[in-house]
């Protein structure tokens, strides 16, 4: 059974999703436990896979779907799942985050989308199937199919939200489709020039036939890169993200916000390192010269727009856009430590974004609005929730010992060693903005409610009574525990950062990336 | 804004033309896509590996069967998502809406209904033919499923939605779509439990009295049937809920 642990990762949520469809009618109360159990199974498969990857000599495992094994058939005849350290780490983050969100989702799903638990959990589990599959697949076209699975479920999950979610989803559908089309066109060109869809196979042909000068390959690189940048909401292409994530149902935004953009950054790293290869991506294209400057624009603009928001959820969505800039920059400054930082930041950003969105979901449910005016005095009401939320916030700012500090440290180190000072300045500027943002929030949340004449959270139950505003009124345990767990993960990854970095380094070490001038 | 859009279009078009300068020659047998080990294996060995004469089906349902499973899941997702978004819940569901402006009361047209009565059995029979011959001639689960789904939509067009839903209600359609996924992924899982990798159909020969190649042959028909279930039912479910704005009633 152990060699099939990779299959469990996608099979558990897939069968869970079908089961949720069957239960969707009269027995829809069972959908939530089914989702939790099937993600638990996937988590077990994921941990088992990581254990095997670390134990194996080459730090990678091949799983040939359909039994088209490499010793009897040419590479690329069947579809290959390749679990290496990079993919396995991101896959574990995906399933871990999804597991916590599934635990958290019980109340919000039955309140926000009543009678639709069946379809909700079906789409939820298929989303996880798609995202986890993206992290493991070793086939460029299979990656496209799984991106489509993840994208379509995302559209459905977002559109189930408020009335305004439908319009936001429509934007997302259009931009998402454009991004996917660019990617598919690029893969088509790759197949035309190399004759294979297997990622390792493509890389082999590029090296053997020295395809770096080929116009088709250069355009393929541009199209694939552009498609992924649109999908990850990199700054000028970010327009779909803020509305889609802020109008989506709470559990949807908790699942999508930490994962989708991060998995797309993983795809970019995979494409540059494994498919096109280091020499092609960094030496033969203009991206290393161009992208860091675009990243500077992206980070500065997104951080400034976050500063202008008066709504908690909206503000968090702009933070995601800024963080995407960090990670894209970490890749394209073309430095070993920059890439370590980028990969580590994918992991830590997923955890801290999860933490913030789980907290924002609780606030939205308790206060009825996520506008800043509703936040006054919330610390007295929900001290545990707010503590969890702040851990996420401190990590976004980059305060030790949270994981955000360490990943940002690597990014800045990489920027300095590569002498891309514009990137370092943008990172520091954005950090300052985050400090302002979160200390402004902390001030508001700690503020005791004195001004009795002042109204906020208009018309939301007992909030109109002044003495109730500061009453102890903690979130339900089913929502609080996942939040505190995610906060604990943010701290633990920070404290044990060296272990995670060691895994990332043993993936990057063989690639011979430049380590900067001083070392 | 408009100028910017034109600039983007021109730039993309330019890139496409630039890429075309380096394409392999038209129909070149030496081009990488025709000459690679993978293509040569498909052309030479498909019959040996799977006993299936139709190379396209073998690539689609066996060599790259994992892709096709997720393509089927994509169709399933589309059905689930559209129903979930349009489904009326709570008091909207019980409210009887007024007649739409474009709705007519006329009884179904005699000529149309009689023609459809004659056509539907033939269409459905043809759907089964396309499905069952997928691995011998052009056809397969997607095509057969679409033809089958069209026959139900034709009934809804000729009479009205309730008449078609007497035969296949939307709730049942979504259940059957799930059954389709279950058939496909279930065959994959069964192969895994019999000792192979996920979707390694050859392992099915340990429980069925056929050779490893014929096990692949028959399993391909099995997964195509799963695909057909999903495609048929999702086609009809999407039509039913889009055409009636989620109310699932009324005529055209």
């Amino acid at each position: 059974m152990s060699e099939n642990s990779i299959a469990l990762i996608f099979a558990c949520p897939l069968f869970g999703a079908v089961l949720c469809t069957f239960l969707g009618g009269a027995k829809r109360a069972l959908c939530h436990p089914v989702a939790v159990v099937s993600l638990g199974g996937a988590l077990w498969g994921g941990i088992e896979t990581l254990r095997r990857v670390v134990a194996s000599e080459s730090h990678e495992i091949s799983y040939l779907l359909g039994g088209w094994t490499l010793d009897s058939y040419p590479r690329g005849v069947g579809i290959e799942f390749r679990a290496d350290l990079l993919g396995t780490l991101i896959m574990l983050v995906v399933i871990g985050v999804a597991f916590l969100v599934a635990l958290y989702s019980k109340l919000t799903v039955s309140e926000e989308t009543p009678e639709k638990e069946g379809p909700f959990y079906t789409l939820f589990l298929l989303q996880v199937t798609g995202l986890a599959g993206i992290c493991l697949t070793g086939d460029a076209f299979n990656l496209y199919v799984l991106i489509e699975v993840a994208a379509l479920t995302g559209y459905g999950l977002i559109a189930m939200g408020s009335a305004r979610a439908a319009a936001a989803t429509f934007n997302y559908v259009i931009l998402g489709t454009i991004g996917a089309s660019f990617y598919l066109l690029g893969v088509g060109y790759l197949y035309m020039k190399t004759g294979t869809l297997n990622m390792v196979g493509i890389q082999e042909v590029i090296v053997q036939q020295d395809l770096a000068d080929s116009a088709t390959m250069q355009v393929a690189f541009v199209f694939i890169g552009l498609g992924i940048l649109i999908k990850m909401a990199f700054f000028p292409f970010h327009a779909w993200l803020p509305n889609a994530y802020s109008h989506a149902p709470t559990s949807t935004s908790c699942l999508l916000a930490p994962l989708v953009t991060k998995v797309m950054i993983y795809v970019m790293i995979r494409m540059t390192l494994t498919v096109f290869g280091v020499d092609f991506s960094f030496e033969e294209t203009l991206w290393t010269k161009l992208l860091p400057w675009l990243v500077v624009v992206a980070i500065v603009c997104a951080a400034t727009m976050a500063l202008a928001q008066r709504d908690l959820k909206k503000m968090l969505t702009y933070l995601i856009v800024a963080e995407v800039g960090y990670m894209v920059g970490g890749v394209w400054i073309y430095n070993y430590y920059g890439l370590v930082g980028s990969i580590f930041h994918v992991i830590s950003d997923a955890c801290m974004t999860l933490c913030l969105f789980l907290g924002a979901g609780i606030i939205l449910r308790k206060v009825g609005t996520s506008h800043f005016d509703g936040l006054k005095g919330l610390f007295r009401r929900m001290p545990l929730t707010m503590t969890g939320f702040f851990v996420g916030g401190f990590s976004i700012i980059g305060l030790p010992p949270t994981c955000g500090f360490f990943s940002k440290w690597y990014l800045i180190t990489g920027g300095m060693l590569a002498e891309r000072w514009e990137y370092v300045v943008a990172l520091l500027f954005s950090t300052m903005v985050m400090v302002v943002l979160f200390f402004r929030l902390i001030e508001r949340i700690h503020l005791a409610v004195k001004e009795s004449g002042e109204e906020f959270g208009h018309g939301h139950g007992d909030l109109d009574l002044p003495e109730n505003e500061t009453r102890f009124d903690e979130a339900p345990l089913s929502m609080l525990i996942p939040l505190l767990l995610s906060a604990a993960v943010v701290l633990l990854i920070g404290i044990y950062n060296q272990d995670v970095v060691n895994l990332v380094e043993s993936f990057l070490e063989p690639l011979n990336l430049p380590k900067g001038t001083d070392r | 804004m408009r100028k910017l859009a034109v600039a983007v279009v021109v730039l993309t078009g330019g890139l496409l033309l630039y890429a075309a300068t380096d394409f392999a020659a038209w129909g070149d047998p030496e081009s990488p896509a025709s000459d690679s080990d993978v293509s040569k294996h498909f052309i030479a060995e498909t019959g040996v590996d799977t006993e299936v004469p139709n190379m396209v089906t073998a690539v689609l349902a066996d060599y790259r069967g994992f892709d096709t499973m997720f393509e089927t899941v994509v169709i399933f997702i589309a059905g689930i998502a559209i129903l979930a978004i349009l489904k009326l819940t709570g008091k909207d569901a019980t409210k009887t809406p007024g007649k739409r402006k474009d709705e007519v009361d006329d009884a179904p047209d005699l000529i149309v209904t009689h023609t459809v009565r004659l056509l539907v059995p033939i269409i459905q029979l043809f759907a089964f033919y396309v499905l069952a011959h997928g691995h011998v001639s052009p056809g397969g689960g997607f095509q057969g499923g679409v033809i089958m789904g069209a026959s139900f939509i034709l009934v809804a067009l000729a009479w009205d939605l309730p008449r078609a839903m007497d035969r296949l209600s939307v709730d049942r359609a979504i259940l059957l779509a799930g059954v389709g996924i279950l058939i496909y992924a279930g065959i994959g899982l069964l192969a895994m439990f019999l000792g192979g990798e996920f979707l390694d159909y050859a392992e099915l020969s340990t429980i069925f009295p056929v050779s490893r190649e014929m096990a692949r042959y028959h399993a391909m028909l099995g997964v195509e049937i799963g695909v057909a279930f999903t495609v048929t039912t999702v086609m009809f479910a999407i039509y039913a809920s889009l055409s009636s704005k989620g109310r699932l009633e009324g005529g055209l």
Side-chain angles (χ1 to χ4, degrees):
Chain A
M1 207 53 212
S2 165
E3 67 273 17
N4 281 320
S5 60
I6 295 184
L8 279 187
I9 296 164
F10 60 83
C12 282
L14 181 62
F15 282 96
V18 176
L19 195 56
C20 282
T21 307
F22 292 157
L23 297 172
K27 295 190 179 121
R28 58 175 184 271
L30 288 174
C31 289
H32 177 255
V34 165
V36 172
V37 169
S38 54
L39 287 174
L43 195 60
W44 183 79
I47 292 171
E48 180 71 13
T49 306
L50 180 68
R51 199 186 59 71
R52 285 175 53 220
V53 171
V54 172
S56 74
E57 198 140 305
S58 58
H59 288 318
E60 59 182 46
I61 304 176
S62 264
Y63 185 80
L64 273 299
L65 289 144
W68 301 106
T69 49
L70 292 177
D71 27 295
S72 333
Y73 302 93
R75 186 188 281 277
V77 161
I79 289 172
E80 183 183 6
F81 259 37
R82 269 177 80 250
D84 56 10
L85 281 170
L86 173 64
T88 314
L89 276 177
I90 312 288
M91 173 274 298
L92 259 187
V93 171
V94 167
I95 296 180
V97 166
F99 184 70
L100 287 180
V101 177
L103 283 179
Y104 173 92
S105 64
K106 189 173 181 5
L107 287 173
T108 57
V109 172
S110 53
E111 285 165 8
E112 290 174 15
T113 47
E115 296 178 39
K116 291 181 180 174
E117 288 93 336
F120 184 92
Y121 282 112
T122 305
L123 295 176
F124 185 100
L125 288 173
L126 289 173
Q127 172 84 41
V128 181
T129 314
L131 291 176
I134 290 172
C135 301
L136 293 175
T137 187
D139 189 282
F141 183 76
N142 189 235
L143 183 69
Y144 168 77
V145 174
L146 290 165
I147 286 178
E148 279 304 280
V149 169
L152 275 176
T153 47
Y155 306 147
L157 284 171
I158 291 171
M160 285 165 83
S162 61
R164 293 180 66 188
T169 312
F170 187 71
N171 274 335
Y172 183 19
V173 170
I174 301 290
L175 271 167
T177 311
I178 292 173
S181 313
F182 271 124
Y183 177 83
L184 185 61
L185 201 57
V187 171
Y189 283 175
L190 277 185
Y191 183 69
M192 185 191 282
K193 293 308 283 185
T194 62
T196 179
L197 289 167
N198 188 289
M199 291 178 179
V200 176
I202 293 173
Q203 163 69 16
E204 278 169 3
V205 176
I206 290 178
V207 174
Q208 270 165 25
Q209 305 185 4
D210 194 23
L211 287 173
D213 297 331
S214 155
T216 312
M217 289 300 277
Q218 289 286 344
V219 175
F221 188 83
V222 171
F223 279 170
I224 288 178
L226 205 59
I228 301 170
L229 286 181
I230 295 174
K231 281 265 176 191
M232 73 170 69
F234 185 68
F235 167 66
F237 315 119
H238 71 288
W240 56 271
L241 188 138
N243 278 331
Y245 285 1
S246 49
H247 298 309
T250 303
S251 302
T252 302
S253 50
C254 289
L255 179 72
L256 299 185
L259 295 183
V260 172
T261 53
K262 260 55 82 181
V263 168
M264 286 304 144
I265 286 162
Y266 159 80
V267 174
M268 186 177 77
I269 296 174
R270 173 64 72 202
M271 283 289 155
T272 49
L273 297 186
T274 309
V275 178
F276 286 93
V278 174
D279 291 339
F280 187 109
S281 313
F282 295 112
E283 305 282 357
E284 305 286 346
T285 65
L286 291 174
W287 286 50
T288 8
K289 299 193 180 62
L290 229 62
L291 256 266
W293 287 103
L294 287 180
V295 163
V296 172
V297 178
I299 294 178
V300 171
C301 290
T304 316
M305 285 190 288
L307 207 53
Q309 301 306 316
R310 307 291 297 160
D311 182 280
L312 185 61
K313 253 182 138 178
K314 263 279 172 56
M315 182 197 95
L316 293 179
T317 59
Y318 280 101
L319 287 188
I320 298 177
V321 179
E323 300 277 332
V324 166
Y326 291 11
M327 288 173 269
V328 174
V331 176
W332 292 106
I333 53 174
Y334 186 29
N335 178 279
Y336 179 76
Y337 294 97
L339 254 167
V340 172
S342 210
I343 295 170
F344 190 21
H345 203 71
V346 169
I347 297 167
S348 56
D349 193 43
C351 299
M352 60 210 194
T353 315
L354 171 71
C355 199
L356 288 172
F357 270 83
L358 291 180
I362 294 178
I363 293 173
L364 187 63
R365 182 169 180 273
K366 280 280 174 189
V367 185
T369 170
S370 57
H371 196 271
F372 283 177
D373 289 346
L375 301 178
K376 277 185 190 165
L378 273 186
F379 193 81
R380 289 241 185 121
R381 239 175 109 183
M382 305 189 276
L384 290 172
T385 307
M386 288 303 132
T387 310
F389 182 77
F390 286 144
V391 171
F394 288 148
S395 185
I396 290 263
I397 298 173
L399 294 179
T402 56
C403 56
F405 168 75
F406 296 99
S407 51
K408 210 178 245 181
W409 180 261
Y410 278 101
L411 286 174
I412 292 181
T413 311
M416 292 202 279
L417 288 174
E419 296 181 2
R420 304 302 299 237
W421 302 108
E422 70 278 11
Y423 175 63
V424 176
V425 170
L427 274 183
L428 293 176
F429 169 78
S430 163
T431 306
M432 292 301 148
V433 172
M434 308 279 173
V435 170
V436 172
L437 278 175
F438 277 97
F439 281 91
R440 203 169 62 177
L441 276 182
I442 290 171
E443 187 194 7
R444 216 170 259 276
I445 287 169
H446 268 99
L447 201 69
V449 181
K450 293 199 290 280
E451 313 96 312
S452 54
E454 202 178 331
E455 264 193 312
F456 49 84
H458 299 280
H460 289 286
D462 58 2
L463 270 176
D464 291 331
L465 304 167
E467 63 269 27
N468 281 347
E469 282 157 6
T470 51
R471 185 186 61 182
F472 180 78
D473 180 20
E474 193 47 89
L477 278 182
S478 72
M479 300 172 88
L480 188 60
I481 290 173
L483 172 65
L484 293 179
L485 278 177
S486 71
V489 169
V490 167
L491 290 171
L492 282 176
I493 294 182
I495 292 165
Y496 291 101
N497 68 85
Q498 201 53 49
D499 295 309
V500 182
V501 169
N502 283 343
L503 293 179
V504 175
E505 290 201 317
S506 41
F507 169 75
L508 288 175
E509 203 64 64
L511 295 170
N512 287 324
L513 291 154
K515 292 194 177 182
T517 44
D518 317 8
R519 304 199 180 190
Chain B
M1 202 63 203
R2 201 187 185 111
K3 277 179 188 152
L4 189 71
V6 171
V8 170
V9 170
V10 170
L11 191 70
T12 314
L15 273 177
L16 287 169
L17 287 176
Y18 175 62
T21 58
D22 194 34
F23 279 7
W26 185 258
D28 181 9
E30 306 273 287
S31 74
S34 320
D35 200 36
S36 69
D37 292 347
V38 179
S39 303
K40 281 191 268 187
H41 182 88
F42 288 151
I43 293 166
E45 307 289 330
T46 299
V48 182
D49 288 343
T50 65
E51 299 272 354
V52 170
N54 184 351
M55 203 197 312
V56 176
T57 304
V59 173
L60 181 128
D62 194 348
Y63 292 111
R64 301 189 66 87
F66 191 64
D67 272 348
T68 310
M69 183 175 89
F70 278 109
E71 290 296 353
T72 319
V73 170
V74 164
I75 291 170
F76 177 63
I77 293 168
I80 295 271
I82 288 174
L83 281 186
I85 294 165
L86 290 179
K87 189 181 170 191
L88 303 173
T89 55
K91 61 177 193 291
D92 292 342
T94 50
K95 195 169 62 183
T96 47
K99 188 151 292 212
R100 292 199 314 259
K101 258 183 282 173
D102 52 343
E103 210 165 300
V104 280
D105 250 346
D106 291 350
D109 186 273
L110 190 71
I111 297 173
V112 173
T113 52
H114 274 261
T115 318
V116 169
R117 244 185 247 279
L118 282 173
L119 268 180
V120 164
I122 299 170
I123 292 176
Q124 296 192 338
L125 209 60
F126 184 62
F128 282 123
Y129 168 81
V130 171
L131 168 64
H133 282 245
H135 36 325
V136 187
S137 59
F142 289 97
Q143 298 85 332
V146 166
I147 296 170
M148 193 62 155
S151 74
F152 286 98
I153 293 174
L154 195 60
V155 172
L157 286 173
W159 284 275
D160 51 10
L161 207 49
R163 184 154 180 135
M165 297 227 320
D166 283 345
R167 283 149 182 83
L168 180 66
S169 77
V170 168
D171 289 338
R172 181 168 301 160
I174 281 303
L175 285 189
L176 288 176
V179 168
I181 303 288
L182 208 59
I183 292 174
Y184 203 138
I187 290 176
L189 200 67
L190 183 63
M192 194 173 103
F193 283 127
L194 292 174
E197 269 92 14
F198 191 76
L199 288 174
D200 185 357
Y201 309 142
E203 294 299 327
L204 297 174
S205 62
T206 50
I207 48 169
F208 294 108
V210 288
S211 65
R212 289 177 68 83
E213 290 72 29
M214 283 311 281
R216 289 192 178 274
Y217 180 98
H218 289 303
M220 266 185 246
L221 179 63
V223 299
E224 297 271 18
I225 290 171
V227 172
F229 262 102
T230 306
V231 174
T232 304
T233 50
V234 167
M235 282 268 297
F236 179 67
I238 288 179
Y239 168 80
S241 72
L242 283 184
S243 67
S244 63
K245 293 181 184 161
R247 289 184 297 134
L248 302 179
E249 59 187 10
L252 245 195

